[in-house]
Amino acid sequence: MRVPLIAGNWKMFKTKAEAKAFAEEFKELYKDTDIQAAICAPFTDLELLVEEFKGTGIMVGAQNVHFADEGAYTGEISVSMLEEIGVDLCVIGHSERRQYFAETDETCNLKLKKLFEGSIRPILCVGESLEQRDAGQAEAIVKGQIEADLEGIAADDIRKLIVAYEPIWAIGTGRTATPEQAEEMCAVIRECITALYDESVADDVIIQYGGSVKPANATEIMNQPEIDGALVGGASLKAADFIEIVNF
Ligand code: PGA
């Protein structure tokens, strides 16, 4: 059984003081909610958020990790560093990292494999650009990402995977995919995982939609049968907006 998961992705927003103010407000608002929620935050906020959300059920995620155990990789953070502070989730392959920081399907695959050696669940982001969609390539692009990113990963690990379908043209643009477009691509992702593994494995994978999700459109997106959650950027920065999405 898949439990819906609404995750915030703060990107490079919020100092520790700002994160603390959000956490204090959000955990009060979240008290009577039974939908699973998470915040994926900058590295510097993670330890504080883990402390703040202890006992609330709200999960905490990083937005990137390195695939090596340790080493001379200036500026990078390892899986064990995240595990030590109690992080639950880690975003992998966000389109901003693919676009600005040379993240490739190959590095995504290595990062997923390293996370699956431990206890942190990945949120793998995939999605096509507007150019690719207009050229009728959306399905092929997303399938190609899924196949490459999951290569060589065991079925039992895939059951713990979270995938976020994030069309690049809908991120931070205010232009949301229609619920039908989002549903169609989430179904393509589940079919692709079924083909690579089997239906029982694909049935366990949480598939989120991300791209300009806000309180006004969360319900119609979450009502789609193949969509099990949302990855929310801009609208996760204010506790009052984010709780409305969590309570879709
Ligand atoms: P957005 O970002 O909700 O601000 O469009 C989504 C994301 O990048 O995960």
Side-chain angles (χ1 to χ4, degrees):
M1 254 305 278
R2 301 193 295 271
V3 182
L5 169 64
I6 311 288
N9 173 20
W10 282 355
K11 310 191 178 188
M12 198 174 72
F13 289 96
K14 293 200 190 290
T15 62
K16 262 175 86 174
E18 289 162 347
K20 189 169 168 51
F22 175 100
E24 282 169 357
E25 189 184 350
F26 185 68
K27 66 187 176 190
E28 278 308 307
L29 297 169
Y30 184 75
K31 264 184 181 149
D32 301 318
T33 304
D34 53 7
I35 301 293
Q36 186 71 68
I39 293 290
C40 301
F43 290 128
T44 47
D45 294 336
L46 294 176
E47 193 163 10
L48 171 128
L49 290 176
V50 169
E51 276 308 308
E52 285 287 332
F53 291 152
K54 212 163 254 173
T56 64
I58 303 163
M59 296 194 287
V60 176
Q63 300 172 357
N64 184 32
V65 73
H66 197 272
F67 49 79
D69 287 326
E70 59 183 6
Y73 301 108
T74 301
E76 293 293 315
I77 299 274
S78 73
V79 172
S80 58
M81 290 169 189
L82 296 178
E83 282 176 340
E84 187 184 40
I85 58 172
V87 166
D88 307 287
L89 304 166
C90 183
V91 177
I92 297 293
H94 190 281
S95 59
E96 287 151 15
R97 294 214 61 84
R98 292 181 191 254
Q99 191 177 346
Y100 308 132
F101 302 100
E103 187 83 86
T104 62
D105 287 320
E106 195 185 352
T107 55
C108 288
N109 177 255
L110 291 170
K111 291 175 181 193
L112 291 175
K113 284 176 173 159
K114 187 50 72 180
L115 284 172
F116 283 132
E117 284 175 19
S119 57
I120 297 174
R121 292 180 70 180
I123 302 180
L124 171 67
C125 300
V126 295
E128 81 286 357
S129 67
L130 188 57
E131 219 176 21
Q132 291 163 335
R133 175 158 284 262
D134 288 345
Q137 296 167 346
E139 247 191 75
I141 292 291
V142 168
K143 270 191 185 164
Q145 288 175 329
I146 292 282
E147 284 167 6
D149 296 350
L150 302 189
E151 200 190 311
I153 297 178
D156 279 348
D157 289 332
I158 298 298
R159 290 183 193 277
K160 292 174 275 179
L161 177 69
I162 301 156
V163 178
Y165 167 59
E166 298 207 311
I168 297 169
W169 46 273
I171 294 178
T173 57
R175 182 178 165 187
T176 326
T178 64
E180 293 73 27
Q181 283 172 324
E183 169 70 2
E184 194 186 342
M185 288 302 286
C186 289
V188 164
I189 291 168
R190 206 175 303 282
E191 278 161 26
C192 184
I193 297 173
T194 304
L196 292 172
Y197 296 89
D198 61 38
E199 206 177 311
S200 136
V201 171
D203 270 350
D204 281 349
V205 177
I206 293 177
I207 303 181
Q208 302 175 316
Y209 166 77
S212 300
V213 176
K214 37 190 181 272
N217 61 22
T219 312
E220 54 175 8
I221 288 166
M222 288 302 297
N223 278 344
Q224 303 297 319
E226 290 296 341
I227 301 180
D228 310 315
L231 188 57
V232 185
S236 70
L237 293 170
K238 281 198 190 129
D241 290 342
F242 191 51
I243 195 69
E244 268 196 65
I245 297 173
V246 171
N247 287 332
F248 67 91

